[in-house]
Amino acid sequence: MERRALGRSGIDVSVLSLGSWRTYERIAREQGLEVMRAAQELGIDFLDDARYDDETGTAPIPTGYSEIVFGELFRAAGWRRDEVTVANKLWFEFWPEQTFEQELDASLGRMGLDHVDLIYATWPPNELGVEEIVDNVGGLIASGRARAWGIVNWPPASLLEATRIAGERGIALPCCAQLPYNVVSRSWVEGRDEAAALAETGASVVASAVLAGGALTGKYADAGASGRMAEQLADPSLRAALVAGGRVREVAERYGTSPAALAIAFALEGDRVASVLFGATSAEQVRENARALQVSADVLAEL
């Protein structure tokens, strides 16, 4: 599988990355292991884990159980730690009572790892400024808890500010930005200010929400379709994605591929995109998404 650089971090990652948001604790362990092993077989070496509050009502702890399950599956799958890039996020949920070090240490403890390769800073609370984030993330990297850092859904001005401060203080620059990017939501990457900030900072893009919550698969055009968005279909803000989903499915069917593969292929063609992030609940879904690597330029042009 093709690999691309994460900004100036010196880390290269597979162009497809496997996420775990709202996934592994909702499926059987054997099923989760099959997902991990399918990713291995395809050459995916970029894994994104994240802590969040339990939504199932069955987790033994209220927050972060997803990290425990991720760590167990990671070891069961036999990943070699030095051959995979593991990412996690700072949510600042308990800041300032919980320091940056304490938040990441808790995540590492639940995952059973001694470091992450990439730590993302999500959009912070109002009381936490960019300067403080840069200084504290620099401390995480200096301590060996993380090798590199990036941001999630920050506005371009804040990315520029973080890069300037880091450069002035000799701290590692933010190497990537995890941003929503799909055929109906392009401004986070292609917008004038956004594109200029990415180019100036040298940050790569890790594309998220590439299926627009599943809308771009076209499945919600079918009566009785189930899924995360099934009860929100009347929401006017989703109309563009739902309409586009039908059109993406039409193109995919005509060329013998899947809507998901086509949507992922679109995101992979985006300027500065290093990797496209997706979640999966079955090995077949992982393999189906990887068909994005076989989509031709002519098909993408039509899309």
Side-chain angles (χ1 to χ4, degrees):
M1 181 172 293
E2 179 189 354
R3 305 174 86 243
R4 297 177 184 174
L6 280 180
R8 302 167 184 167
S9 67
I11 299 174
D12 293 339
V13 296
S14 55
V15 294
L16 299 181
S17 44
L18 182 65
S20 61
W21 183 255
R22 303 173 74 186
T23 301
Y24 293 129
E25 76 278 22
R26 295 170 178 265
I27 60 178
R29 292 302 172 90
E30 185 56 38
Q31 192 174 343
L33 190 56
E34 290 173 356
V35 168
M36 284 259 188
R37 286 176 171 160
Q40 283 179 314
E41 292 167 3
L42 289 164
I44 295 173
D45 62 11
F46 189 11
L47 306 179
D48 190 303
D49 190 29
R51 171 180 60 83
Y52 51 92
D53 294 341
D54 174 50
E55 299 173 332
T56 66
T58 60
I61 57 176
T63 186
Y65 186 56
S66 56
E67 294 173 318
I68 292 175
V69 178
F70 171 87
E72 292 174 349
L73 292 173
F74 181 90
R75 286 180 288 279
W79 294 95
R80 285 187 54 177
R81 183 64 187 88
D82 60 347
E83 294 182 353
V84 63
T85 298
V86 176
N88 207 309
K89 296 180 175 69
L90 294 169
W91 294 101
F92 312 117
E93 184 179 4
F94 305 112
W95 182 88
E97 290 78 13
Q98 188 181 57
T99 66
F100 286 55
E101 290 82 1
Q102 289 169 336
E103 180 176 351
L104 182 50
D105 282 346
S107 289
L108 290 172
R110 286 187 290 266
M111 290 188 292
L113 302 178
D114 62 2
H115 75 283
V116 292
D117 301 284
L118 175 66
I119 188 67
Y120 286 111
T122 59
W123 187 238
N126 293 332
E127 301 81 8
L128 182 56
V130 171
E131 183 175 3
E132 190 169 0
I133 290 175
V134 172
D135 285 341
N136 279 277
V137 168
L140 296 178
I141 294 174
S143 70
R145 290 176 172 88
R147 295 172 58 202
W149 74 289
I151 58 90
V152 179
N153 298 350
W154 282 24
S158 296
L159 174 59
L160 287 167
E161 183 182 1
T163 303
R164 175 185 59 79
I165 294 170
E168 291 174 351
R169 299 187 180 182
I171 296 171
L173 306 181
C175 68
C176 62
Q178 188 179 121
L179 302 170
Y181 187 50
N182 57 61
V183 294
V184 291
S185 179
R186 306 186 185 190
S187 61
W188 280 95
V189 173
E190 296 181 6
R192 183 187 63 183
D193 293 343
E194 289 80 359
L198 290 167
E200 184 172 339
T201 61
S204 300
V205 173
V206 176
S208 64
V210 295
L211 301 181
L216 293 179
T217 65
K219 69 178 182 179
Y220 292 108
D222 300 329
S226 61
R228 188 180 301 178
M229 300 174 62
E231 297 181 1
Q232 308 172 44
L233 301 183
D235 186 340
S237 67
L238 299 178
R239 178 168 176 74
L242 292 170
V243 171
R247 299 175 66 184
V248 170
R249 187 164 71 171
E250 289 174 7
V251 176
E253 289 175 349
R254 194 170 342 120
Y255 287 99
T257 188
S258 71
L262 198 53
I264 290 170
F266 166 84
L268 274 174
E269 288 295 303
D271 192 28
R272 304 202 65 83
V273 171
S275 190
V276 171
L277 175 65
F278 66 84
T281 57
S282 70
E284 180 55 36
Q285 190 177 6
V286 177
R287 289 189 282 267
E288 187 63 42
N289 288 352
R291 292 178 64 192
L293 304 179
Q294 302 166 359
V295 174
S296 71
D298 290 342
V299 177
L300 281 175
E302 180 170 341
L303 181 64

